[in-house]
Each structure stands twice: as C-alpha cells, then as structure tokens.
Amino acid sequence: MAKHIDIRKFTGFRAIAVLCLFLLYAPLIVVSVYSFNDSISITTWGGFSLRWYEDVFFGPEAPKFKQAAINSLTIAIGAAVASTAIATAAATAMLRAGKFKGKSFSFMLINLPLMVPEIVTAVATLIFFSAIGFVSGYMTILVAHIVFCIPFAYLPIAARMQSIEPFYEQAALDLYATRFQAFRMILLPLMAPGILSGFLLAFIISLDDFIITNFVKGAGVETLPTAIFGAVKLGIKPNVMAISTLLLLVSVVFVTLSYLVGRMGENTEK
Amino acid sequence: MAGPQLKSTDTDNSNYAGLGPWLLLPSWLVIGFFLVLPVGLMLIYSFLTKEFRGGVVWDFSPAAYDQFFFDRGLFGDSAPTIELTYISIFWRSIWQAAVATILCLLIGFPTAWFIATKTGSNRTIWLFLITIPYWVNLLIRTISMKFLIRDNGPLNELLLSIGLISEPIHMINTNFAVQLGLFYSYLPFMVLPIYASVERYNFALSEAAADLYATKWVTLTKIILPVVKPGVIAGCILVFVPSLGAFLAPDLLGGAKNFMIGSLIEEQFKGNAGNWPFGAAASMILLSMVLVILTIYARQQVKAGDR
C-alpha cells in the first residue's frame, strides 16, 4: 500500500456520532435546566430556584400527582412481578424442557405483544374489557401492563438461562434432588441477575406506558404519564418540567442499575 | 422480535422434560386471553354498527370499512367514489414514518459504525449513552422536544442570539416537527441493530478491498453495506413500524393539521363523539399493514438463513 489507510474510519462518522448524542440529550438537558427556572414564564430565565419542585410536592396539584405516582409505582411493581414470574416459567419451558408440541408457536405468542402496534393493543384491550363488562380502572391497567411486559421480561431472562450450562442441575438431579429442588436451589440462584434485569426492564416499560394506559384507564384513575399528558394539553408549565425531570432521573437510575446487574452477571460467569 | 435462538438439536437441555406445556400455561392464558382474544374481538367489532353514545350495536355490516374507503355522498345514496380523507391520513403516516426512518438511518448508521469500531470501555460507554434515552419516558422526550422547538423556545432563542436567523423559525405544528419527533423517539432502535451487525463484520473484507485499490466509498457501498444489510433492515423496521402507529409525536408536535393514524384511531374512542367500529376497522387496517411488513421481513430472514 502506498499509504496507510485506516479501513475502520470514515471521515465525518465521528462528527455524526457526536451529533447523534447531542440530538438525543439536548432536549432532555434543556428541560432539566429549565425546571430549575425561577421565572413563572417558561421562556425567560429568572435565576436558579427549586420552587417548581416544591410546587410538585406541596402545590395545589400535589395530591393529584401524588396519587398518580402511587398508581404508577404500584402498577409497575405488580406488572413487573407478574410478568417476570410468567416469563421465568416460560423461559424454563423454552430452554430446559426439551422438545414438545407447540414450542415455536409459544415463542411467537410470547413475542406477540412486541409485534402488535401499541395503539392496536390499546384499542383491542379497551373493546375486550368493555365487552366483558370489566370496569375500567386500576385493575384493567394492571392486566394490560402485565401482557406487554412479558416479552420485555422474557428477553434478558432467556438470554441468561441460555448462558447457563444444564450440567449444574443435572449434577443435582444425579444426587437425588427433585426437579423442583434443582430448579429452586441451582437454576434460580444462577438466574438471579437475568431475573433481576428482566424485572427492572418490565418495571420501566410499565412506568413508561402512555397509550395503552390512556385507553384502558377509564375516568378517575391516572398514572403519571396520563396525568402529565393531561397537564401538558393546557400548555407546558414549569411544574410539568420539574416532574418530568424527576421521572427522567428515576429512568436513568433504573437503567444504570439494570446495566450494573447485567455486568455483575457477566463477571460471575467467568 | 430478535429473541434468543432456540437450539433444537440440544438434547441435554431437557432437565424439565414434560413440564414444558405446564410452564408455558401462564403465558398462553395471559397473552391468549388478554391479547389474542381482544384482537379477535376487535375484528368482530369492526363489522358492527356504531351506537351514538360510543359503543356498538350488534348489527353486522361492512359500514366501517365502507366509510373508510368509499364516499357515498351526504345522504349515502350517491354512486360510491373513492373516499380520500382516511386514505390520505394513512398515506401521510406512511410518508412521515418513511422520512423519520431515513433520518434515523442517516444519523444512526455512521453512529453505529463509529461505536462498533471503538474498543473496550469506550465502546461500552457510547453504547450505554445511546441506550439511556430509549428508557426515558417517551412522553417526556416528546414534551422536551416540543419545549425545545417552540417559536420562542430555547432553540430559536439560541439561533437568534448568535445571529444565524433574524426571526424565529416556525417549527411546531408542522410536518417537520412530527418527523423530528418520530426520529427522536426511535433513533436508538436504528443504532442498536446496526451496531450488532457491524460488530460481527469481518474487517479483512475491507482490507482486501483497500488492497485492490477500492476507494472508501466503493468499499462502503459495495462491500460493507451488503454485509451489514440485515442489521440495517432490522433497524429500519424497528423505526418504521412504531412510527406508523405513533400517537404522541403527531399529537403533541403536529397539531390538528398533521393528523396521523394514531390520532385518527384515538379520536374514535374519545368520549361520545367516537365511532368504535370505525376505530376498530382503522386499527385492523394498521395491524394488517404491520403484519404484512413483518411477514415479508420474516420470509427474507428465512431465505437468508437457507443460503
């Protein structure tokens, strides 16, 4: 070669990657910064202040946001627990139970919530609940959330289980452990990081959902996203930015946790 | 969609042989009862007659689909002509989703390539930074974008203050705002699958091309792109499909003039003015479109696997 060419580099790709990061973060950073704005007008900067955070927790709308936060949190925990349990059982069947009838069909079924557009799931669920006379509210949201959280919980759990050799449980079985004992005392502890990151994923996905919740919630019950959406319809107010920033922080903490748990899992394999 | 692959030849993994159906029973029941059954019911509802206060009357008719595709005049007795209102909303959605996909590809491919050619902890950090926004509430991201691009928002103020523009650019409630919102919503979906493809790319191919005096551009279009095509296609589908039925970006950033499928469907179920059978029919049409795309994709995958 006449001159050395770095085949891995393309001119401009680094700049585009930096631009990509900038585009992803700029809106979030701007809103976070403006949530500390002292001014009532959202346009002009009036100095640093925590007044809008105070407003979120103690202001006139505080009870509404508090109730919405409690609903969001309990629904997310409930949906994450249920979908993680269902997904763990499903992953054990798919990866540890040999061949059986309906296996590939089951794989498709588990991933179905990912393939149906959210708005279609929302419409179908609303129609279904109204047809069977299931009164819209807290329970309808919870049930709907469990359904779409299953594939998200399943992915990390199945990925983890696939990386665990079946020999450990076989050894236990050879030593006269029952299959339940082998599962509970060998497979489940080895699976812990996968199950935890599945749980965290499902939790975040449930916490994030707007469209499906908006359709099935009925009157009176609000989650944080639907409450925020309702508030934003009247214009973006500073307290909405404060609450958004808080929710942003929760997401970042959870993703970081999930990531660290995942790395912990990788380290125990070696 | 891209789940862990099943090893069908692996006979060792049968410690719980015979229990498979029992362990899957909860998934079957929950998804079957609360997703498959509802979609079936939605299909039935799309052939029912609307009731005036929302809800349906159990009278079978293709009226909803007829309303979607045909115009029969004010009193319903003129000769049917093609109704363009709803078809054009669908067409606009396809167009908006396509533009968003192209924008994502233009930014996402170089980014994915850049990350995949990094090494060690640098790469991990970049990947992590790209993933975080995906986990941030979509509603909050859309609101942030709306805040940023308002007429007197921070972006316009910045551009005004550095003298790049003399009066604010009107962006909110335009087609462009919706495209930007969709792009912003689903950009990580484009980066991650392309990254996964590039990571497995064998750089010896590029070296061979360079040795044979191929320019970088030729190497990119003739060697690299065909090899990483599966990742690019997966990324495009992951952006296009959710964009098609998106509700938040068009609703918050587009306003009433830039209606998309999601808003059309939502309106049919809001309050008493809605039309459930029509909403169900529009949902069925959207679902069919998505299933066609996914089926074509799956076929391609199978074909590629055979080769």
Side-chain angles (χ1 to χ4, degrees):
Chain A
M1 271 190 288
K3 67 174 184 198
H4 179 75
I5 308 170
D6 189 346
I7 49 157
R8 289 164 181 268
K9 288 213 169 70
F10 283 91
T11 337
F13 276 23
R14 168 194 289 273
I16 294 176
V18 173
L19 176 72
C20 178
L21 266 200
F22 176 77
L23 288 173
L24 285 175
Y25 284 91
L28 300 177
I29 291 170
V30 165
V31 162
S32 308
V33 169
Y34 271 82
S35 71
F36 294 106
N37 187 358
D38 191 38
S39 167
I40 293 182
S41 147
I42 52 167
T43 352
T44 47
W45 179 255
F48 179 88
S49 137
L50 289 173
R51 64 184 285 195
W52 301 115
Y53 288 88
E54 200 188 316
D55 187 77
V56 165
F57 288 104
F58 307 107
E61 287 178 298
K64 190 182 86 185
F65 283 134
K66 192 180 162 197
Q67 187 55 48
I70 291 171
N71 288 343
S72 266
L73 212 65
T74 51
I75 287 171
I77 291 172
V81 169
S83 59
T84 307
I86 293 169
T88 308
T92 313
M94 300 300 282
L95 298 167
R96 285 292 202 269
K99 283 182 201 164
F100 55 91
K101 232 179 155 182
K103 195 166 166 176
S104 54
F105 169 76
S106 303
F107 185 70
M108 207 195 76
L109 199 66
I110 290 166
N111 285 300
L112 193 64
L114 293 179
M115 291 185 245
V116 179
E118 260 196 288
I119 189 122
V120 175
T121 306
V123 167
T125 314
L126 170 68
I127 286 176
F128 177 70
F129 283 148
S130 103
I132 63 169
F134 197 170
V135 180
S136 289
Y138 190 88
M139 281 312 288
T140 50
I141 304 176
L142 181 61
V143 169
H145 279 214
I146 292 173
V147 175
F148 69 73
C149 283
I150 291 175
F152 287 99
Y154 179 83
L155 290 177
I157 292 173
R160 173 77 184 170
M161 195 180 287
Q162 205 164 32
S163 74
I164 299 170
E165 299 286 348
F167 312 133
Y168 304 111
E169 300 141 79
Q170 259 154 24
L173 292 171
D174 288 347
L175 295 165
Y176 301 105
T178 64
R179 291 203 287 189
F180 179 71
Q181 282 173 327
F183 177 78
R184 198 175 64 87
M185 299 171 84
I186 310 293
L187 187 58
L188 218 50
L190 285 170
M191 286 290 302
I195 291 174
L196 192 55
S197 63
F199 174 87
L200 292 173
L201 256 179
F203 180 87
I204 282 285
I205 290 290
S206 162
L207 204 63
D208 274 7
D209 180 71
F210 168 74
I211 297 169
I212 294 172
T213 312
N214 191 38
F215 266 75
V216 302
K217 75 185 169 67
V221 183
E222 300 279 355
T223 62
L224 270 181
T226 63
I228 292 174
F229 185 78
V232 165
K233 275 281 152 187
L234 311 165
I236 303 175
K237 285 180 294 178
N239 62 346
V240 168
M241 290 199 267
I243 204 166
S244 297
T245 308
L246 290 172
L247 212 51
L248 188 89
L249 203 67
V250 172
S251 301
V252 173
V253 167
F254 265 82
V255 183
T256 315
L257 264 178
S258 160
Y259 170 75
L260 292 177
V261 167
R263 273 202 9 185
M264 207 170 73
E266 274 166 32
N267 291 342
T268 53
E269 270 162 44
K270 282 160 197 163
Chain B
M1 271 163 264
Q5 296 298 305
L6 297 172
K7 289 185 222 156
S8 51
T9 50
D10 211 337
T11 44
D12 278 331
N13 286 350
S14 52
N15 291 334
Y16 307 98
L19 291 178
W22 293 107
L23 290 166
L24 280 167
L25 196 62
S27 328
W28 288 344
L29 284 180
V30 171
I31 297 175
F33 202 69
F34 294 109
L35 186 60
V36 178
L37 200 60
V39 170
L41 198 63
M42 184 177 79
L43 177 64
I44 296 175
Y45 263 53
S46 71
F47 285 104
L48 295 180
T49 307
K50 87 165 195 175
E51 211 206 351
F52 281 99
R53 279 166 290 114
V56 287
V57 183
W58 281 82
D59 245 341
F60 283 93
S61 88
Y65 293 94
D66 190 82
Q67 182 189 347
F68 190 95
F69 290 108
F70 299 110
D71 178 13
R72 290 177 192 273
L74 197 56
F75 304 103
D77 51 3
S78 320
T81 49
I82 300 290
E83 164 73 68
L84 288 176
T85 319
Y86 307 114
I87 294 174
S88 67
I89 290 175
F90 267 62
W91 176 245
R92 181 183 312 125
S93 305
I94 293 171
W95 171 252
Q96 299 284 66
V99 173
T101 308
I102 291 167
L103 285 174
C104 283
L105 186 61
L106 289 178
I107 299 281
F109 184 87
T111 307
W113 179 272
F114 175 75
I115 298 174
T117 51
K118 285 207 151 299
T119 48
S121 62
N122 250 338
R123 177 196 280 197
T124 320
I125 290 166
W126 269 90
L127 262 188
F128 187 55
L129 285 174
I130 295 286
T131 344
I132 286 181
Y134 167 65
W135 297 116
V136 172
N137 199 307
L138 183 61
L139 173 64
I140 289 178
R141 282 190 288 152
T142 313
I143 291 173
S144 307
M145 186 53 92
K146 185 179 173 131
F147 178 73
L148 188 71
I149 65 171
R150 277 171 321 132
D151 286 352
N152 50 359
L155 182 64
N156 268 319
E157 275 191 5
L158 177 77
L159 293 176
L160 280 171
S161 69
I162 58 174
L164 217 60
I165 53 174
S166 55
E167 51 186 282
I169 309 173
H170 178 69
M171 282 177 283
I172 207 83
N173 295 349
T174 62
N175 272 331
F176 172 71
V178 177
Q179 289 154 5
L180 190 67
L182 293 174
F183 159 78
Y184 184 50
S185 304
Y186 304 117
L187 180 57
F189 283 180
M190 182 65 87
V191 177
L192 297 176
I194 297 181
Y195 162 80
S197 269
V198 175
E199 201 196 13
R200 287 195 303 266
Y201 175 71
N202 184 356
F203 282 95
L205 292 173
S206 288
E207 253 163 55
D211 286 349
L212 295 166
Y213 301 103
T215 61
K216 285 217 156 170
W217 178 248
V218 169
T219 312
L220 180 66
T221 51
K222 294 269 156 81
I223 313 284
I224 297 169
L225 275 180
V227 175
V228 300
K229 205 172 86 187
V232 173
I233 292 175
C236 288
I237 286 177
L238 285 177
V239 173
F240 185 79
V241 166
S243 296
L244 203 56
F247 170 72
L248 284 174
D251 191 75
L252 288 171
L253 299 166
K257 271 191 302 177
N258 302 287
F259 231 54
M260 278 174 62
I261 302 176
S263 317
L264 176 69
I265 293 174
E266 202 251 6
E267 209 170 53
Q268 308 309 321
F269 294 92
K270 215 164 51 181
N272 292 342
N275 180 343
W276 285 35
F278 184 70
S283 304
M284 278 313 299
I285 296 169
L286 171 63
L287 181 62
S288 318
M289 281 161 61
V290 169
L291 289 183
V292 166
I293 297 171
L294 292 180
T295 310
I296 293 172
Y297 175 65
R299 287 255 171 99
Q300 293 274 320
Q301 292 293 96
V302 172
K303 254 194 229 160
D306 287 345
R307 261 188 272 140

